[in-house]
């Protein structure tokens, strides 16, 4: 399958008064056309920073992107048949504005603060259409109402002139999705879009995004901390820890044959549904390292039950342990299991 | 008496041996709640505050919690789970109802009597940062309940604080540090230490792990379970994370718009849920297992939770229920015991 996005060795740092925060130290992954990539990790692991770095959404200063490449192979190039990739990190302000919100849509976690409270829902969707597609106000209105209907908001015509506070959490998230898909993007990046929602509404939103993905032939990057959500919708999963990608694998490999001790521990820390009797959860002792002074060895070493001498000396590079399954660990845990 | 179904059910099971459920660790009820109601009036107008109506945050709940057990309470936001916990501890004065804790009806106590009761009933809050005073050292925070309720000497208190810190897995020598010096999981441990400082019998945990990361959640959940075993605590565990609730609870109550929809043991609730709402809720939990996820059928509830200020007539769930019939919009179903220890509020439960 053709690649649509290829990120290589992305390094982002924050220059603060307390020192340099090493938010991302060399993250690499790629995204295929039409696939859903799940990104999981704990808070502070760099999931959101990765995506925000790509789209220039981080305030600079304090943030600075210090290295890496993010090649975007756009194949819906209207002007010419140019299929040369664009390096998102090298684009200037006007260059990224054409892509952000146009070819790459973004869904934020907190729909209430992502939407402008003093602007009607309709105007916020129209704005994108006018800006990127050059529609007139009337065209944009007509299209906005269609979009609202498309994402499942009842009485769309009436809701067009409503304000965000008049919407429920689920409806606000649907509005965000309408804005994100307005320009028929090639990639949708969803940053914890269901974390603030109740499970029943979460199920609705996941269903919606999966339907849209199929109908509009998009690729989806879904950032979450919930491994359960990832299991249900992702094709491949990237696990992040302390600013680096520790494992990337097809979803089944990751869940049934994890290759990094962090992933193994994380899966053990989840309660099993419907089990008989009470058992103890496997917990990961300790907390993630301080990114102000990240260790020069494996980030996970001091929480890792298998840490050996070499883990304290060097940072392990990602290795391919089976086709498409990469883990950043010196040892091969996946192969040890039958 | 319908509303007291569970209470009478338990009286029966005390008398008749074979009716005991396997999971009841003890038949002694530490907490009995009867017809608990908590209504919040809402007003309109800035000057006269005319009373416009009331929100039935908790409407006619009856249940009991056995000694040493964990009762989980789950439901969507706004269903009244937190209000239930707060009303039981009298942090909100209940509108009506009876709450008997360890043989004492706390609704009838005077302020002073209630204050003397407080050491036995404690609460752990969701936001571990907001519930700790940032200007006090944690040693002070943890010893504050002892200053108020006991006449312990300073040195004895310090010893007790260190013992508590050790108990919850923190370094006892950190008693002079301030809340901001700790991580989220550690702060929640400090909260637990404070709640335990007076040897309570009953602890209400209001979403204690919601703000924590998965790996830290597991640590705190294990701590809760260890402490329960060690100190014989009884928990009311409120959460919206169904998978964690089923992990820690002995019995679970599912709430919707201020009412209990179903209450039973965790095995029964998660394997054979009877109420259509519980079934939808169970089917919506993401399972960290790709093959199971692909095979499962989700029951998608359409629309969203109706406003508690204006709940639907009849069964409160009828607007979203996939099996609702005409009767459901007319009359409210009763709180019935379908099988021993399994309570359901639904007209259609026999047909399902």
């Amino acid at each position: 399958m053709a690649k649509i996005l290829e990120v290589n060795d992305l390094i982002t740092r924050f220059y603060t008064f307390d020192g340099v925060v090493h938010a991302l130290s060399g993250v690499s992954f790629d995204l295929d056309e039409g696939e859903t990539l799940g990104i999981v990790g704990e808070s502070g692991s760099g999931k959101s920073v990765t995506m925000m770095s790509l789209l220039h959404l981080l305030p600079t200063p304090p943030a600075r992107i210090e290295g890496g490449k993010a090649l975007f192979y756009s194949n819906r190039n209207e002007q010419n048949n140019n299929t040369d990739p664009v390096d998102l990190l090298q684009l200037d302000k006007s260059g990224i504005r054409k892509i952000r919100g146009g070819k790459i849509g973004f869904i934020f976690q907190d729909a209430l603060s992502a939407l402008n409270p003093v602007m009607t829902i309709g105007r916020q969707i129209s704005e994108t259409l006018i800006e990127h597609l050059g529609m007139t106000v009337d065209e944009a209105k007509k299209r906005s109402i269609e979009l609202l209907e498309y994402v499942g908001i009842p009485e769309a015509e009436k809701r067009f002139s409503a304000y965000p506070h008049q919407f429920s959490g689920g409806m606000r998230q649907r509005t965000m999705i309408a804005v994100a898909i307005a320009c028929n993007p090639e990639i949708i990046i969803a940053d914890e879009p269901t974390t603030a929602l109740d499970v029943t509404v979460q199920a609705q939103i996941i269903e919606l995004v999966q339907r849209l993905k199929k109908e509009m032939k998009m690729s989806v990057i879904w950032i979450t901390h919930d491994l359960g959500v990832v299991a249900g919708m992702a094709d491949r999963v990237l696990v992040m820890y302390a600013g680096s990608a520790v494992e990337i694998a097809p979803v089944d490999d990751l869940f049934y044959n994890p290759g990094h001790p962090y992933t193994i521990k994380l899966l053990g820390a989840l309660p099993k549904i419907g089990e008989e009797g009470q058992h103890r959860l496997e917990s990961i002792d300790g907390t993630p390292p301080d990114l102000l002074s990240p260790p020069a060895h494996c980030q996970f070493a001091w929480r890792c039950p298998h840490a050996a001498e070499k883990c304290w000396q060097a940072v392990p590079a990602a290795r391919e342990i089976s086709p498409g399954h990469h883990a950043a660990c010196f040892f091969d845990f996946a192969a040890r299991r039958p | 008496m319908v509303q007291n179904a569970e209470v009478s059910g338990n009286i029966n099971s005390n008398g008749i041996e074979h009716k005991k459920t396997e999971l009841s660790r003890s038949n002694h009820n530490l907490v009995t709640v009867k017809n608990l109601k908590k209504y919040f009036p809402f007003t309109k107008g800035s000057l006269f505050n005319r009373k416009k109506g009331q929100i039935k945050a908790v409407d006619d709940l009856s249940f009991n919690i056995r000694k040493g057990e964990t009762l989980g309470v789950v439901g969507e936001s706004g269903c009244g789970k937190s209000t239930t916990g707060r009303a039981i501890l009298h942090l909100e004065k209940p509108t009506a109802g009876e709450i008997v804790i360890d043989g004492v009806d706390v609704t009838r106590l005077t302020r002073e009597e209630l204050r003397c009761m407080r050491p036995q009933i404690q609460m752990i809050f969701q936001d571990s940062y907001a519930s700790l005073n940032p200007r006090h050292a944690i040693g002070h925070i943890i010893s504050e309940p002892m200053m108020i309720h006991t006449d312990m000497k300073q040195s004895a208190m310090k010893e007790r604080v260190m013992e508590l810190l050790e108990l919850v897995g923190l370094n006892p020598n950190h008693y002079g540090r301030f809340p901001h010096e700790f991580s989220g999981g550690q702060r929640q441990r400090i909260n637990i230490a404070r709640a335990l400082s007076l040897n309570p019998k009953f602890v209400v945990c209001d979403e204690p792990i919601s703000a924590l990361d998965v790996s830290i959640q597991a640590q705190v959940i294990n701590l809760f379970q260890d402490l329960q075993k060690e100190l014989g605590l009884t928990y009311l565990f409120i959460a919206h994370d169904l998978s964690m609730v089923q992990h820690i609870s002995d019995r679970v109550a599912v709430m919707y718009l201020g009412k209990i929809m179903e209450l039973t043991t965790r095995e029964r609730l998660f394997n054979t849920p009877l109420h259509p709402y519980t079934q939808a809720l169970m089917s919506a939990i993401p399972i960290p297992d790709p093959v199971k996820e692909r095979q499962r059928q989700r029951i998608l509830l359409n629309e969203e939770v109706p406003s508690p200020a204006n709940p639907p007539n009849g069964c409160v769930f009828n607007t979203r229920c996939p099996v609702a019939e005409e009767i459901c919009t007319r009359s409210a179903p009763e709180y019935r015991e379908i099988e021993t220890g399994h309570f359901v509020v639904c007209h259609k439960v026999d047909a399902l």
Side-chain angles (χ1 to χ4, degrees):
Chain A
M1 218 184 280
K3 268 181 201 164
I4 187 159
L5 183 70
E6 189 178 359
V7 177
N8 271 323
D9 219 17
L10 180 64
I11 298 170
T12 303
R13 293 187 179 136
F14 291 91
Y15 289 82
T16 66
F17 290 117
D18 293 329
V20 185
V21 179
H22 298 248
L24 296 181
S25 29
V27 173
S28 307
F29 65 92
D30 50 27
L31 178 70
D32 286 338
E33 248 175 76
E35 93 170 330
T36 304
L37 176 73
I39 302 189
V40 291
E42 296 176 71
S43 37
S45 61
K47 322 183 281 292
S48 299
V49 172
T50 307
M51 292 309 136
M52 291 172 103
S53 301
L54 297 184
L55 294 182
H56 300 216
L57 286 170
L58 294 170
T60 42
R64 211 186 285 170
I65 296 167
E66 307 224 307
K69 266 196 184 125
L71 302 177
F72 176 42
Y73 298 84
S74 172
N75 45 19
R76 291 183 200 162
N77 245 343
E78 298 84 14
Q79 304 95 337
N80 43 25
N81 279 337
N82 180 6
T83 47
D84 285 346
V86 196
D87 188 348
L88 295 175
L89 302 177
Q90 300 302 328
L91 290 173
D92 59 4
K93 247 186 176 159
S94 66
I96 193 76
R97 280 187 79 162
K98 276 188 202 129
I99 289 181
R100 188 176 61 201
K103 287 177 180 157
I104 302 181
F106 209 105
I107 306 170
F108 294 92
Q109 170 176 3
D110 186 352
L112 187 57
S113 54
L115 294 169
N116 187 337
V118 294
M119 225 165 138
T120 60
I121 294 291
R123 257 190 78 192
Q124 302 194 44
I125 305 175
S126 309
E127 198 183 24
T128 323
L129 295 165
I130 295 166
E131 174 78 19
H132 287 283
L133 304 180
M135 286 188 179
T136 65
V137 175
D138 286 341
E139 281 167 1
K141 178 172 179 179
K142 205 172 141 242
R143 178 81 184 121
S144 303
I145 292 170
E146 279 169 23
L147 282 166
L148 283 174
E149 269 165 11
Y150 193 44
V151 296
I153 289 182
E155 300 175 9
E157 209 145 335
K158 226 172 87 191
R159 306 279 192 188
F160 181 80
S161 42
Y163 287 90
H165 72 267
Q166 295 169 306
F167 277 24
S168 68
M171 269 160 62
R172 282 199 285 264
Q173 206 53 270
R174 284 175 195 270
T175 309
M176 289 279 303
I177 293 171
V179 175
I181 61 165
C183 302
N184 198 14
E186 291 170 62
I187 304 176
I188 285 277
I189 298 174
D191 187 359
E192 307 237 15
T194 57
T195 305
L197 304 175
D198 282 314
V199 270
T200 54
V201 184
Q202 168 172 285
Q204 294 170 7
I205 297 291
I206 291 175
E207 199 82 10
L208 172 68
V209 173
Q210 282 184 310
R211 193 193 85 206
L212 295 177
K213 183 197 137 189
K214 217 185 284 165
E215 289 177 4
M216 301 180 66
K217 299 193 174 56
M218 300 182 293
S219 311
V220 176
I221 296 179
W222 189 282
I223 301 173
T224 179
H225 64 267
D226 190 337
L227 280 158
V229 171
V230 158
M233 68 178 306
D235 300 312
R236 281 192 309 145
V237 185
L238 169 71
V239 182
M240 292 193 66
Y241 182 76
S244 30
V246 293
E247 186 162 5
I248 184 163
V251 64
D252 285 20
D253 279 4
L254 189 98
F255 280 88
Y256 302 127
N257 202 10
H260 195 281
Y262 176 64
T263 317
I264 297 169
K265 281 291 217 174
L266 207 57
L267 289 167
L270 297 173
K272 313 276 177 295
I273 298 285
E275 67 192 347
E276 298 283 321
Q278 271 177 325
H279 78 131
R280 272 178 79 82
L281 294 174
E282 249 185 82
S283 66
I284 312 180
D285 293 333
T287 47
D290 183 4
L291 294 175
L292 274 170
S293 48
H297 50 75
C298 174
Q299 302 270 22
F300 191 60
W302 72 279
R303 295 176 88 183
C304 182
H306 311 285
E309 212 184 318
K310 59 180 164 186
C311 303
W312 297 97
Q313 283 157 0
V315 179
R319 293 186 301 125
E320 186 159 26
I321 50 180
S322 61
H325 187 167
H326 301 258
C329 183
F330 290 118
F331 300 104
D332 202 345
F333 287 99
R336 283 190 194 174
R337 270 183 302 273
Chain B
M1 182 69 197
V2 182
Q3 282 127 340
N4 294 349
E6 167 154 39
V7 178
S8 54
N10 265 294
I11 293 166
N12 286 343
S13 67
N14 278 343
I16 306 163
E17 277 287 296
H18 68 268
K19 273 193 114 183
K20 270 188 199 169
T21 48
E22 326 82 76
L23 252 164
S24 59
R25 290 187 177 169
S26 136
N27 274 328
H28 174 63
N29 288 334
L30 185 71
V31 180
T32 307
V33 175
K34 259 193 220 173
N35 305 51
L36 177 69
K37 289 177 185 166
K38 175 67 198 172
Y39 297 168
F40 293 103
F42 64 90
T43 56
K44 208 171 185 182
S46 54
L47 187 57
F48 295 108
N49 277 339
R50 274 167 298 147
K51 203 173 155 191
K52 270 281 173 188
Q54 48 194 1
I55 290 174
K56 297 181 175 177
V58 170
D59 197 13
D60 212 3
L61 296 193
S62 299
F63 58 88
N64 53 45
I65 308 172
R66 298 185 194 104
K67 206 168 184 176
E69 116 175 308
T70 304
L71 178 70
V73 180
V74 291
E76 293 174 277
S77 41
C79 71
K81 1 181 241 304
S82 293
T83 310
T84 307
R86 296 174 67 92
I88 291 173
L89 294 191
H90 252 247
L91 295 177
E92 312 270 9
K93 199 176 169 3
T95 311
E98 203 174 281
I99 301 159
V100 181
I101 301 177
D102 209 16
V104 185
D105 183 354
V106 292
T107 50
R108 286 168 201 209
L109 296 181
T110 62
R111 267 175 79 101
E112 189 48 36
E113 285 169 327
L114 189 63
R115 213 177 66 85
C116 298
M117 185 83 191
R118 289 266 179 230
Q120 294 177 32
I121 50 180
Q122 290 289 329
M123 183 147 182
I124 294 164
F125 297 92
Q126 171 174 6
D127 189 339
S128 64
Y129 195 64
S131 54
L132 299 173
N133 188 334
R135 287 167 190 273
H136 284 170
I138 62 156
H140 181 95
I141 292 172
I142 297 171
S143 53
E144 209 164 4
M146 294 183 264
M147 290 179 207
I148 294 166
H149 288 285
T150 68
D151 41 15
M152 280 164 89
K153 289 215 172 63
Q154 202 72 40
S155 58
M157 268 195 282
K158 188 177 161 189
E159 214 166 281
R160 173 80 178 135
V161 167
M162 292 176 81
E163 193 185 298
L164 284 163
L165 286 173
E166 183 107 56
L167 183 71
V168 298
L170 292 171
N171 185 339
N173 296 321
H174 288 175
Y175 65 89
R177 294 198 176 180
F178 289 85
H180 72 266
E181 295 177 81
F182 294 90
S183 68
Q186 287 173 322
R187 279 201 295 265
Q188 205 51 281
R189 288 170 192 263
I190 296 166
N191 267 308
I192 296 169
R194 175 175 59 184
L196 297 179
S197 62
L198 294 168
N199 291 320
K201 291 179 181 150
F202 176 54
V203 183
V204 173
C205 314
D206 188 2
E207 308 241 11
I209 51 159
S210 308
L212 305 175
D213 273 316
V214 182
S215 70
I216 311 294
Q217 275 186 359
Q219 293 175 8
V220 175
I221 285 286
N222 284 344
L223 176 66
F224 272 117
Q225 288 183 323
D226 294 345
L227 290 172
Q228 182 167 49
K229 246 177 252 158
E230 220 165 293
L231 308 172
L233 296 172
T234 304
Y235 294 135
L236 180 71
F237 197 91
I238 300 164
H240 64 261
D241 182 345
L242 292 150
S243 48
M244 271 303 175
V245 167
Q246 80 101 37
H247 178 78
I248 195 170
S249 306
D250 298 307
R251 290 187 304 148
V252 183
V254 180
M255 284 185 72
Y256 184 78
L257 277 183
K259 290 180 189 287
I260 289 183
M261 296 281 110
E262 186 161 4
L263 183 131
T264 182
T265 61
R266 69 185 185 108
E267 278 94 352
R268 289 191 67 107
L269 191 84
F270 284 84
N271 295 329
T272 51
L274 293 178
H275 196 284
Y277 178 60
T278 318
Q279 289 170 349
L281 213 53
M282 292 307 141
S283 84
I285 315 177
I287 299 178
D289 189 328
V291 170
K292 274 192 199 156
E293 272 286 322
R294 263 172 244 145
Q295 287 164 349
R296 76 205 271 243
Q297 278 295 324
R298 283 234 152 79
I299 307 170
L300 283 183
L301 292 178
N302 44 14
E303 305 194 22
E304 307 201 3
V305 186
S307 159
N310 186 19
N313 287 333
C315 173
V316 285
F317 185 56
N318 80 61
T319 53
R320 298 174 85 196
C321 185
V323 294
E325 279 181 358
E326 196 255 328
I327 184 174
C328 305
T329 58
R330 261 191 298 118
S331 75
E334 293 163 349
Y335 188 53
R336 294 191 285 163
E337 190 168 11
I338 299 291
E339 271 168 71
T340 316
H342 195 150
F343 299 86
V344 184
V345 183
C346 183
H347 287 303
K348 305 263 297 162
V349 67
D350 300 316
L352 285 169

